[in-house]
Amino acid sequence: MHSVPEPGRVRTTRRDAPTPPRGSGVSFVMPVLNERAYLRRAVESTLEQRIDGPIELVLALGPSSDGTTELARELAAADDRIVLVDNPRADIPVGLNLAIRASRYPTIVRVDAHSELAPGYAAHALDTLARTGAANVGGVMRADGRTPFQRAVARAYNSPIGLGGGAYHGGRREEEAESAYLGVMRRAVLEEVGAFDESIRRGEDWELNLRIRSAGYRVWFDPELSVTYWPRDSWHRLARQFHATGTWRGELVRRYGLKNSLRFFAPPALVLALVAAVVVLVLQLTGVLAGAGSLVASLVYVPIAAYVALVLVVAAGPGGGKGWRDKLWTLAVLPTMHLSWGLGFLRGVLTGAQETVDTSRLSGRNTPLP
């Protein structure tokens, strides 16, 4: 499928991506599914971008059930820069590839319907691409919320404790990166490496960037680039999202092993430590473990106690928000993210992701299809 041999083997020498002439234009691509509450502002923040050259926005429409498709058609009728394509499979990488194939310009900007681009985002990204010779440039995901729960999730996203400290969750130094949030990409490189792998439903951006780096190109992080992201707005949607994401990360570990960052292994380690602690506790309460053996086995509680203490400290501090309600939501959100992700990861490693989908925007359905 892809032209790059052994995508897990990353070249240590780098080559510059082709730089199109100034004014060649930019294609924004956005997969969309059940995003009526967020789509209008996402589209507006995209079309407000000002660059030297033409722009277009290609929306890949999944089978939404909340009026998103009707809103997208209304927006497209009002602005001829908006192009609509159908994505009946609903999967994100499929939608991205459909949108890319339907687009015209030599630079591709991925946009999420749950996000808003900062003013000047595209122009600055184009400058960074040209200056660094990178094939893909990304910036900081600045999570925000409209409700107390969503703001608690946003604080977790913006904290190194919440999502493990990836550069795009708060990095401050411009540098070469493992992956890029959303990404501003050169079409020529996407065509060379094979675009998005449609067999991967979550983590498709990480896998694409692995192939880009394997082909010898740079993936670049620029903290001056900023995107506002609106996370899931309810507990069960958050848990479903993180379980699916963890499952697919487990699948990527099956495929690429330790090419995955070590930080991805922390949540499953927490789950295993918790299981071990429960087993030891039951054995102690039933008298199977006693004496010196019980004392030694009690060491399994140490990482759990350390984790609980860490979460309490984060919730009690500035990272927990203002007021007791914010802090209680933080206490609920952090373990939900970590344990859901960790359980999914273990499932993915043991059995593979198979047909796992993120159902967090599907109103309870277990498949993105009607």
Side-chain angles (χ1 to χ4, degrees), residues 34-285:
N34 287 334
E35 296 287 6
R36 184 174 179 85
Y38 298 92
L39 179 63
R40 184 181 296 275
R41 185 56 200 145
V43 168
E44 289 173 349
S45 75
T46 300
L47 297 180
E48 287 167 0
Q49 298 295 309
R50 296 292 177 262
I51 66 164
D52 181 11
I55 68 171
E56 65 178 351
L57 169 59
V58 185
L59 304 181
L61 301 176
S64 295
S65 58
D66 67 346
T68 293
T69 299
E70 291 75 13
L71 175 58
R73 289 173 179 159
E74 174 188 327
L75 295 171
D79 195 316
D80 60 10
R81 293 174 297 175
I82 301 175
V83 178
L84 306 180
V85 296
D86 288 329
N87 177 24
R89 285 176 54 186
D91 290 343
I92 290 175
V94 174
L96 287 168
N97 284 345
L98 287 169
I100 291 168
R101 286 195 291 270
S103 66
R104 297 176 288 170
Y105 299 126
T107 301
I108 305 295
V109 181
R110 177 176 173 177
V111 190
D112 185 41
H114 232 56
S115 65
E116 296 176 21
L117 302 183
Y121 175 89
H124 186 88
L126 289 174
D127 289 343
T128 302
L129 280 171
R131 171 171 53 84
T132 63
N136 190 8
V137 169
V140 178
M141 172 203 284
R142 300 198 185 280
D144 202 351
R146 299 175 177 175
T147 65
F149 178 84
Q150 197 176 43
R151 286 193 292 270
V153 179
R155 287 192 298 274
Y157 266 81
N158 295 331
S159 166
I161 304 302
L163 291 181
Y168 55 83
H169 294 299
R172 298 181 180 180
R173 185 176 66 183
E174 186 177 11
E175 60 186 347
E176 192 168 346
E178 174 188 18
S179 189
Y181 175 55
L182 298 180
V184 180
M185 300 163 274
R186 296 302 193 194
R187 178 189 296 274
V189 175
L190 288 178
E191 292 175 348
E192 177 184 335
V193 303
F196 290 91
D197 187 335
E198 296 181 4
S199 72
I200 299 174
R201 284 178 163 149
R202 303 289 293 179
E204 73 287 339
D205 49 353
W206 178 88
E207 192 275 341
L208 172 63
N209 284 299
L210 177 61
R211 280 186 279 120
I212 289 173
R213 292 185 294 115
S214 298
Y217 296 107
R218 295 176 191 85
V219 175
W220 199 260
F221 170 73
D222 185 345
E224 295 300 315
L225 294 172
S226 176
V227 180
T228 298
Y229 172 78
W230 303 98
R232 300 302 189 269
D233 56 6
S234 69
W235 182 86
H236 72 280
R237 290 180 186 274
L238 179 70
R240 284 152 59 188
Q241 176 197 17
F242 271 73
H243 184 268
T245 303
T247 301
W248 277 102
R249 179 56 56 180
E251 172 68 31
L252 291 173
V253 167
R254 286 169 66 97
R255 298 190 189 192
Y256 299 110
L258 293 178
K259 296 297 178 184
N260 294 266
S261 172
L262 290 178
R263 64 189 175 89
F264 295 130
F265 294 83
L270 172 65
V271 171
L272 292 175
L274 186 60
V275 171
V278 170
V279 171
V280 168
L281 179 61
V282 170
L283 294 177
Q284 288 174 329
L285 292 176

